Amino acid sequence: MTKPISEGAESRIYPTEIFGIDAIAKVRGPKAYRVPLLDVSIRSTRTKKEAKIMALALSHGVRVPRLLGVSDYSIYMEKIHGNLMKDAKISGKQAEMAGTLLATLHNAGIVHGDFTPANILIGEDGKLYLIDFGLSEISHGAEGRALDLLLIKRQMGVRLYTKFVKNYSQGVPSAREIIKRLAEIEKRGRYQTRTLG
Amino acid sequence: MLVLGIESSAHTFGVGIVDGGRVLANEKAMYKIGTKGMIPREVAQTHISNCNAVISAALSKAGIKINEIEGIGYTKGPGIGTCLQVGQLAAKTIAARLCVPIAPVNHGIGHIEIARIMSGLKDPVALYVSGGNSQILKLSKASRRRYTVLGETFDIGVGNMFDTFARSIKLDPAWGSTVEKTAEGGKYVPMPYTVKGMDFSFTGLLTHASRLAASHRKQDVCFSMRETSFSMLCEATERAMLLSGSSEICVCGGVAQSARLREMLKAVADEHGARFGFAANEFNADNGGMIAFVAERMLTRGAEEKLRDCTIEQRYRIDSAEVFA
């Protein structure tokens, strides 16, 4: 295969082309350290889950790359041309748009799990796209949603986050409860009880 | 500086003697764990009866007399209160008698620092795995005076999981290395696998394995438990290394004695062209050498403690201890 565009802990992203569309393949390669049965099970379960969540998000109107195909350990999706939000100077308008983006995702019953500017693409059309659903969960609880807010709050800084959370709150019916949970999480020390999920 | 260090946080009473970063002696006596595990009062009593003999053994191994000692270190925590007190009392007594400076050492810092320095690594992601602890740490970028916890267990240490399981299926001695021996030649059966980012959890795995033990071969359950838990640790470590931008991994703590865990971490490092290191097994098991080693670094930089402030702390957080890296 060609050289990967990027390399994560559990997957590599390769450029490819499908039906004449610029595409990328997210491939979960084998890990030499794991016994083969466990390795195969982890890679295929996570690939299927990630694809399922992306499809669900798409069907609820969240802007994510369109799925072009799924195989055992690979997800093929359209390539969004643009820049990562982490590499751009984020405008107030874009912070608001990110708020709406996360609201739509949460309303679809999905928690992203790694909602940072490194996983938001600013498309050439000026719209925001959400990528990397590797740590996402289908969940309806406040905890996971508050953790999504926590990550972006830490990365954006106060001024942008204020704009972000304004739009987020307008979009999510249970926003008050989630923001209250966020305040609780921020008070927690690492050694105190943490809820899973 | 000739420093004597005393470790007594759990089942091991250890005395080490260090001079200029060289370990001259590393003697120990261990509480026999049998099939029941550790009973705090009994462990402390065993330490008391072993104390003088182990100190004498260390001194004669190093070929020195006690009054040549220039500094003392002891384990302040984390650990079992009654056990910590034995080492603390012995250390304070010697320090007062010889009028030499004393340094309270964090047990985990002892494991990490001796592994990091002896394996020649500068800024590794450290996987610290033992009975009581399972954490992934790295020296803080700005100061290099503290370790930052990047990931850790949500519930019990991985060694605790092995020990508890060993007791539940009546292995003797009831601890992790026996599980590892029993695992040889086992076949993989699916187990719960819980990693969240760089954190992990072992209680679900423990419960599941204990249930399976009734209907499956011991060696298969031991094998699957080992493979699953070590894979979880490897995944979290790999992620921590990539996210923190490090290109070194080191492993330390009692569970780091496992050849299988080291083999797996080596594979993680190799995939990313990273360096991998660990200390000799005598420093992965609890020992006084690592306490003396860290105490010497503290004392030569003036971090001595007043005798009356030499306390113990059962839950002494590793990220609250100052490091002299």
Side-chain angles (χ1 to χ4, degrees):
Chain A
M1 240 174 163
T2 40
K3 266 184 67 170
I5 306 171
S6 75
E7 198 175 332
E10 59 168 346
S11 64
R12 292 189 166 91
I13 309 276
Y14 295 95
T16 179
E17 199 191 277
I18 295 176
F19 315 131
I21 301 173
D22 264 353
I24 59 162
K26 176 170 181 172
V27 184
R28 285 185 163 82
K31 292 289 178 190
Y33 65 80
R34 292 194 285 238
V35 288
L37 263 175
L38 176 61
D39 187 53
V40 164
S41 141
I42 288 177
R43 286 155 62 213
S44 67
T45 317
R46 289 188 184 169
T47 304
K48 279 191 203 105
K49 182 174 165 194
E50 183 175 355
K52 189 174 136 191
I53 290 179
M54 284 181 75
L56 179 70
L58 203 60
S59 74
H60 280 80
V62 187
R63 259 194 303 277
V64 304
R66 274 175 300 167
L67 278 176
L68 299 172
V70 183
S71 68
D72 286 353
Y73 315 118
S74 307
I75 301 177
Y76 300 88
M77 58 192 110
E78 100 186 277
K79 178 172 174 63
I80 310 281
H81 294 274
N83 293 313
L84 287 178
M85 197 177 229
K86 81 170 165 81
D87 299 326
K89 185 164 173 5
I90 308 170
S91 69
K93 179 75 191 146
Q94 282 165 343
E96 287 172 7
M97 283 159 65
T100 312
L101 183 67
L102 187 65
T104 323
L105 185 79
H106 283 180
N107 288 339
I110 301 167
V111 165
H112 187 269
D114 195 14
F115 192 74
T116 69
N119 286 327
I120 302 171
L121 264 170
I122 305 170
E124 282 172 348
D125 53 7
K127 291 175 177 155
L128 300 189
Y129 294 82
L130 192 51
I131 57 169
D132 195 356
F133 288 75
L135 292 172
S136 298
E137 298 281 343
I138 299 193
S139 153
H140 295 273
E143 181 80 10
R145 287 172 166 65
L147 286 172
D148 275 351
L149 287 182
L150 179 68
L151 266 186
I152 198 83
K153 183 177 181 180
R154 282 189 186 156
Q155 305 256 343
M156 269 189 168
V158 181
R159 188 184 65 86
L160 290 173
Y161 178 74
T162 313
K163 292 183 186 295
F164 170 92
V165 83
K166 188 190 78 184
N167 272 33
Y168 176 80
S169 307
Q170 283 166 4
V172 177
S174 59
R176 277 179 75 112
E177 187 203 340
I178 295 163
I179 290 165
K180 205 176 130 206
R181 179 67 70 96
L182 172 63
E184 278 172 35
I185 294 174
E186 287 175 312
K187 277 187 212 142
R188 277 182 212 161
R190 278 197 79 104
Y191 225 54
Q192 284 162 294
T193 323
R194 281 188 292 176
T195 324
L196 288 168
Chain B
M1 189 177 194
L2 204 51
V3 175
L4 181 142
I6 301 178
E7 151 65 27
S8 68
S9 64
H11 47 57
T12 301
F13 187 87
V15 176
I17 297 173
V18 165
D19 189 14
R22 263 188 336 122
V23 181
L24 307 177
N26 195 19
E27 299 297 310
K28 62 177 78 171
M30 279 169 78
Y31 171 76
K32 291 237 172 4
I33 222 148
T35 52
K36 287 183 296 192
M38 281 188 267
I39 299 155
R41 176 177 41 82
E42 287 183 9
V43 188
Q45 261 158 10
T46 310
H47 288 347
I48 292 170
S49 35
N50 288 333
C51 179
N52 285 346
V54 180
I55 293 175
S56 306
L59 288 169
S60 68
K61 183 81 187 286
I64 56 164
K65 296 210 171 59
I66 188 133
N67 50 20
E68 292 175 53
I69 296 288
E70 297 164 295
I72 301 286
Y74 73 97
T75 306
K76 177 180 175 181
I80 301 168
T82 51
C83 300
L84 289 168
Q85 277 174 332
V86 180
Q88 174 212 25
L89 184 62
K92 286 172 78 168
T93 309
I94 301 170
R97 184 69 194 265
L98 300 178
C99 291
V100 292
I102 183 166
V105 177
N106 180 292
H107 180 86
I109 296 290
H111 276 300
I112 299 182
E113 283 291 279
I114 204 161
R116 182 179 72 84
I117 293 162
M118 286 199 163
S119 57
L121 300 178
K122 284 209 169 58
D123 196 14
V125 163
L127 176 65
Y128 169 34
V129 273
S130 64
N133 302 278
S134 292
Q135 297 173 316
I136 300 170
L137 307 107
K138 192 169 174 295
L139 276 171
S140 75
K141 262 206 195 94
S143 67
R144 285 176 68 87
R145 294 295 280 272
R146 290 264 191 288
Y147 272 96
T148 310
V149 178
L150 300 175
E152 66 184 322
T153 175
F154 282 116
D155 37 51
I156 55 174
V158 65
N160 188 349
M161 174 193 76
F162 283 123
D163 295 347
T164 311
F165 182 65
R167 288 200 294 278
S168 83
I169 62 167
K170 305 211 160 41
L171 293 180
D172 187 11
W175 54 28
S177 57
T178 320
V179 175
E180 175 134 38
K181 276 193 204 101
T182 315
E184 288 314 316
K187 281 208 291 284
Y188 188 77
V189 286
M191 295 258 165
Y193 182 101
T194 322
V195 172
K196 290 212 114 202
M198 293 179 275
D199 297 320
F200 27 81
S201 151
F202 295 110
T203 43
L205 183 51
L206 174 60
T207 310
H208 188 79
S210 306
R211 279 193 198 133
L212 282 191
S215 56
H216 287 66
R217 293 196 310 165
K218 263 185 192 171
Q219 69 188 103
D220 292 347
V221 184
C222 289
F223 177 79
S224 310
M225 178 184 231
R226 180 188 76 183
E227 290 301 317
T228 308
S229 58
F230 287 177
S231 294
M232 286 161 54
L233 293 169
C234 284
E235 185 191 345
T237 307
E238 182 176 24
R239 189 165 291 133
M241 179 177 72
L242 289 175
L243 289 181
S244 67
S246 172
S247 54
E248 295 173 336
I249 298 175
C250 89
V251 64
C252 61
V255 185
Q257 295 172 87
S258 159
R260 176 61 181 148
L261 178 61
R262 298 207 288 234
E263 176 188 38
M264 291 167 81
L265 286 165
K266 176 79 169 53
V268 172
D270 285 348
E271 190 185 330
H272 300 282
R275 292 181 66 201
F276 172 61
F278 51 88
N281 269 346
E282 64 170 310
F283 301 114
N284 285 323
D286 285 355
N287 66 93
M290 66 182 192
I291 302 301
F293 185 83
V294 172
E296 188 193 20
R297 297 172 74 87
M298 292 170 77
L299 292 173
T300 49
R301 287 165 172 85
E304 72 175 272
E305 190 68 280
K306 291 194 192 85
L307 261 187
R308 65 162 182 280
D309 294 330
C310 285
T311 52
I312 59 158
E313 199 177 326
Q314 295 189 66
R315 289 175 176 248
Y316 185 15
R317 278 290 290 187
I318 196 163
D319 45 10
S320 67
E322 193 176 13
V323 183
F324 297 88

